[in-house]
Amino acid sequence: MSSKAGHNAPVFEKYQQKAKNFMCSCLAKGDSNTQKTPGGLIYRQRWNNMYFVTSAAFLGTTYSDYLASAGKYLKCSSGSVSLNELLSFSKSQVDYILGDNPRATSYMVGYGNNNPRQASDPNLLTGALIGGPDAYDNFTDQRDNYEQTEPATYNNAPLIGVLARLHAGHSSYNHFLLGNLVVRDAAEDKPQNYLWQSFDNPGDTTLPGMKVGINLKTSFHHSLSSWKSTNDPSIGEFTWTFDTGGFLQTFIMNGFIELYRAGPWNVRVFPNAPSHDTSWNGYNYTYLSDPNEILFMYELTCSSIIARVVMQLNR
């Protein structure tokens, strides 16, 4: 993954492609997506399915960290994926496990008001994760229902990794929790089905993980725009957007008047960006240009740093 495979590079390139395909499938953005229950839990088999759930969730967190450290992005067949989406996927599986599901059932012994009482092991196993529901979110809490009530260390082990990762925090992940205002159906918690979300409509401010760019298929612009006045948040005079002709670069515009251009992307930064200290490694930038979209976003590598980009009312 770190390009240190030497003469084994061709083998690891195949491994990288399989890892990419797997994560795209988990996010339902691949060519052959993983099966999920109606409530959103990954489903692979009847007997102790939770092993696959916790392993996939753990891989979602580690793959997100790999992309952040490598300054890369995940490009799936149905579109690009932000680091927040990977972490959101992992969190959605943990939420389901701990009770955010159609049955409001926790599948961890001792956690929540409605948790397993009849695990197949008769000993008191507080914290043990059992096999979980079937493909339709159905579950029967009976000791002889081994397929669903059997606890296993290989269920818990990946889950510990996911919980540790989420507890440790990450600036982009925290911004997803605290900064992304969404409008959705009350019964819908999948980000791809949100009716509207602020991370797709930045207004005058972008946070780590938010997209700025253009969807070339729908012509939708993820652009920054200043407020009309200090008391009026409607679109003002100034915008920050991409140019789709010639070298792809960003512009700050006052109506149709060009005030500033950042210069073409040079793989690391926009060269004309002011006050950019390339010696500090606190940002990971993602820039994508393909027939479907033009996309730019940034992540922070240090969880103790808070950052935002704001389009001001005046020059």
Side-chain angles (χ1 to χ4, degrees):
M1 288 296 210
S2 301
S3 302
K4 298 178 181 178
H7 67 278
N8 292 313
V11 176
F12 277 87
E13 286 174 4
K14 293 179 181 179
Y15 179 84
Q16 284 181 306
Q17 186 60 44
K18 289 183 180 294
K20 171 185 171 182
N21 291 343
F22 177 76
M23 293 317 310
C24 288
S25 296
C26 287
L27 294 165
K29 291 191 173 184
D31 296 321
S32 179
N33 295 324
T34 56
Q35 180 183 351
K36 291 184 179 178
T37 69
L41 187 74
I42 283 183
Y43 188 79
R44 180 68 176 83
Q45 66 180 31
R46 292 172 54 190
W47 194 298
N48 210 355
N49 177 68
M50 207 60 80
Y51 163 58
F52 298 95
V53 176
T54 57
S55 295
F58 176 71
L59 290 173
T61 61
T62 56
Y63 197 82
S64 174
D65 286 347
Y66 155 66
L67 292 175
S69 65
K72 296 182 179 181
Y73 62 88
L74 177 59
K75 177 65 175 172
C76 300
S77 59
S78 63
S80 59
V81 176
S82 71
L83 307 188
N84 282 327
E85 288 181 80
L86 283 164
L87 289 171
S88 178
F89 155 73
S90 297
K91 183 177 181 296
S92 73
Q93 300 303 294
V94 173
D95 287 345
Y96 186 109
I97 290 169
L98 298 181
D100 187 7
N101 55 63
R103 291 178 49 88
T105 297
S106 165
Y107 294 101
M108 178 180 285
V109 176
Y111 184 88
N113 296 325
N114 185 20
N115 68 84
R117 312 288 181 179
Q118 296 289 321
S120 61
D121 186 320
N123 296 294
L124 179 60
L125 302 175
T126 301
L129 191 61
I130 62 170
D134 65 14
Y136 304 98
D137 299 305
N138 298 315
F139 172 73
T140 302
D141 189 12
Q142 293 180 352
R143 201 175 304 283
D144 60 355
N145 181 16
Y146 305 109
E147 291 183 348
Q148 294 187 323
T149 62
E150 181 183 60
T153 54
Y154 52 71
N155 293 355
N156 276 77
L159 180 62
I160 291 171
V162 179
L163 293 174
R165 175 63 182 79
L166 298 181
H167 177 72
H170 186 281
S171 58
S172 62
Y173 182 69
N174 290 336
H175 282 308
F176 178 82
L177 288 178
L178 302 176
N180 191 21
L181 176 67
V182 303
V183 177
R184 62 181 176 88
D185 186 276
E188 182 58 73
D189 61 357
K190 298 179 178 61
Q192 63 268 28
N193 295 330
Y194 288 162
L195 301 175
W196 180 92
Q197 56 181 326
S198 61
F199 268 32
D200 285 341
N201 300 270
D204 74 331
T205 303
T206 61
L207 301 174
M210 294 177 71
K211 299 177 181 178
V212 176
I214 306 172
N215 185 318
L216 298 176
K217 287 189 172 182
T218 64
S219 298
F220 182 80
H221 285 240
H222 303 270
S223 300
L224 277 183
S225 57
S226 64
W227 283 22
K228 194 168 185 177
S229 71
T230 55
N231 298 317
D232 184 353
S234 58
I235 296 176
E237 300 178 46
F238 303 99
T239 58
W240 178 36
T241 188
F242 276 89
D243 174 44
T244 57
F247 291 108
L248 294 173
Q249 53 187 311
T250 62
F251 288 84
I252 294 178
M253 307 291 291
N254 181 357
F256 293 101
I257 301 173
E258 177 189 322
L259 299 179
Y260 161 82
R261 65 185 180 91
W265 178 251
N266 67 6
V267 183
R268 294 186 62 203
V269 296
F270 292 104
N272 295 342
S275 304
H276 184 87
D277 182 2
T278 56
S279 65
W280 187 61
N281 222 8
Y283 293 99
N284 281 317
Y285 298 101
T286 298
Y287 178 74
L288 169 67
S289 176
D290 65 22
N292 297 318
E293 62 183 336
I294 301 169
L295 166 68
F296 175 75
M297 62 184 179
Y298 71 96
E299 310 276 352
L300 290 168
T301 61
C302 179
S303 60
S304 63
I305 301 297
I306 298 175
R308 63 176 181 162
V309 176
V310 180
M311 177 63 66
Q312 299 288 352
L313 292 169
N314 46 43
R315 301 188 186 189

